[in-house]
Amino acid sequence: AALEHGGIRHLPQVLSRDLPVPEETGRAEAVREWVSSLQADAQFAEEGGLGRVRWSRACLPAVTVIIPTRDHAPLLRTCLKSLYRTDYPGLDILIVDNGSTDSNALRLLRAAERQPGTRVMKYPGPFNYAAINNAAVREATGDYVCFLNNDTEVINVDWLTEMASLLVAQGDRAGCVGAKLLWPNGLVQHGGVVVGTHELAAHIGNGWMADEPGYGQRNRLVCQYSAVTAACLLTPKRLFADLGGFDARRFPVAFNDVDYCLRVRRSGKKILWTPFATLWHRESASRGQDVSPMDKARLQREMGCFRKEWGTYQDPFYNPNLPLSTVTDPFEGLAVPPRARNAR
């Protein structure tokens, strides 16, 4: 009804507090009817006071899961075992070996090749995350590609079904969808990405436990964001190719996923995050931290390239009254002074 009368605007200021809401608004039934008009077999339900849409799972696209790896057999073995429990039909797994030399890793790769729906692709040379994945996408057979780190482990078996059905439901505006990633201690490692922190980007939810509501229930709700991490990211293969894939020159290791997501948004597509696809993520367990002088210099260069391209980006999914600080996490505290932003 609002769309029929000029559309909806977002005002980044507080206009009212404690607005009285009638006990029975008919909201659930209205949302249920709206969801059914979008997809006949989509289902809406209220769970724990929150609404959740289960989009149609009848015609899901073929998906290729791309896993770059080098050595670290225990990490890859755990990742693959969890993937083989995934309930997605006809899953295509493409492991990209970036020069493994460890005997256990090589033995695992040979064993993986004997598994149905699993392939191993060789990509020798220096580690360039963007270039590795770009090459793998060219070999992908699925209509969608899912970038997945080898230090992840699937928790719920329908994680990919949730992500794919959510993205398919967006129709022509399907861009990317990311998953909820947890550190081994149960804290959220990735709950979406805020762009603008120190003119860079920051993960959301690092101070939240897995089952906490988070700021405004964001830890429990499907949300739109400006970006999600490619540690687990699903996107249409054609869109990825049309946009030129990851930028392997300017962002060989860091920020290539955020840069890609921002280009997806610039093309008019949506970036979504869902808490209903959950995985463990042992962040940087395989690659390690950027501690060598060469790695530090490379990271500084990537940061400079990101600031040059996106340093003035105003994240539309993050209120200007909230901080963009390297000291506090996103949604923790207030911006002093608030950043200026017009209605949108």
Side-chain angles (χ1 to χ4, degrees):
L3 291 173
E4 294 174 357
H5 293 84
I8 300 171
R9 301 291 298 274
H10 174 81
L11 302 178
Q13 293 88 24
V14 177
L15 299 185
S16 176
R17 295 176 180 170
D18 298 325
L19 184 68
V21 179
E23 290 186 9
E24 180 52 54
T25 62
R27 171 186 175 275
E29 186 58 33
V31 173
R32 191 172 292 110
E33 291 178 3
W34 172 69
V35 168
S36 296
S37 71
L38 298 176
Q39 272 191 351
D41 52 349
Q43 299 176 352
F44 171 79
E46 290 193 338
E47 303 173 359
L50 302 176
R52 179 184 178 184
V53 179
R54 285 183 170 84
W55 298 103
S56 173
R57 303 183 174 191
C59 299
L60 296 177
V63 174
T64 295
V65 177
I66 297 171
I67 311 172
T69 192
R70 179 192 290 172
D71 296 325
H72 296 285
L75 289 176
L76 181 60
R77 182 179 294 109
T78 298
C79 178
L80 289 175
K81 281 185 176 180
S82 70
L83 269 184
Y84 293 143
R85 295 195 300 268
T86 297
D87 66 359
Y88 202 85
L91 188 61
D92 174 44
I93 300 173
L94 179 57
I95 304 169
V96 190
D97 178 25
N98 184 217
S100 292
T101 57
D102 177 74
S103 59
N104 291 326
L106 294 172
R107 192 178 303 114
L108 176 60
L109 290 171
R110 289 193 294 269
E113 283 187 297
R114 295 193 291 269
Q115 295 292 325
T118 304
R119 296 176 288 148
V120 176
M121 169 184 165
K122 301 294 184 181
Y123 192 95
F127 178 73
N128 183 318
Y129 179 87
I132 290 170
N133 281 288
N134 288 346
V137 169
R138 291 191 288 270
E139 300 298 321
T141 60
D143 298 316
Y144 282 17
V145 289
C146 178
F147 303 105
L148 188 68
N149 280 15
N150 67 345
D151 55 3
T152 58
E153 180 182 359
V154 173
I155 295 176
N156 56 307
V157 297
D158 65 341
W159 66 283
L160 190 54
T161 302
E162 161 70 15
M163 294 174 73
S165 62
L166 179 60
L167 202 53
V168 169
Q170 309 311 309
D172 293 339
R173 296 200 64 193
C176 303
V177 59
K180 183 176 185 176
L181 304 180
L182 306 176
W183 272 307
N185 64 3
L187 283 168
V188 175
Q189 187 269 331
H190 171 259
V193 172
V194 164
V195 178
T197 299
H198 205 49
E199 296 184 337
L200 296 170
H203 282 194
I204 295 166
N206 289 173
W208 305 339
M209 293 299 294
D211 57 353
E212 285 184 318
Y215 181 90
Q217 300 286 350
R218 286 175 179 267
N219 202 27
R220 295 177 176 173
L221 294 170
V222 174
C223 302
Q224 273 199 78
Y225 286 117
S226 287
V228 290
T229 178
C232 182
L233 183 155
L234 184 70
T235 192
K237 178 182 176 181
R238 175 172 291 183
L239 176 64
F240 188 80
D242 289 346
L243 294 179
F246 293 133
D247 189 331
R249 183 183 61 85
R250 293 189 300 170
F251 307 111
V253 177
F255 301 111
N256 43 64
D257 47 3
V258 181
D259 171 72
Y260 172 69
C261 286
L262 292 175
R263 286 186 282 123
V264 168
R265 273 197 44 78
R266 190 165 60 190
S267 72
K269 313 294 185 182
K270 289 184 178 181
I271 309 295
L272 302 170
W273 174 86
T274 174
F276 305 113
T278 311
L279 299 85
W280 298 112
H281 184 206
R282 298 161 180 85
E283 185 184 23
S284 299
S286 56
R287 189 178 66 83
Q289 301 292 334
D290 295 315
V291 294
S292 72
M294 184 180 298
D295 285 337
K296 288 181 178 179
R298 186 263 310 153
L299 179 59
Q300 287 297 320
R301 178 180 175 277
E302 290 170 325
M303 291 167 64
C305 289
F306 188 88
R307 288 183 173 125
K308 183 177 180 180
E309 181 70 24
W310 303 107
T312 59
Y313 179 84
Q314 293 190 356
D315 196 325
F317 305 107
Y318 192 67
N319 195 286
N321 296 295
L322 297 171
L324 287 172
S325 168
T326 56
V327 179
T328 60
D329 290 333
F331 298 106
E332 300 295 329
L334 294 171
V336 182
R339 297 177 303 283
R341 183 184 296 168
N342 296 325
R344 60 176 176 85

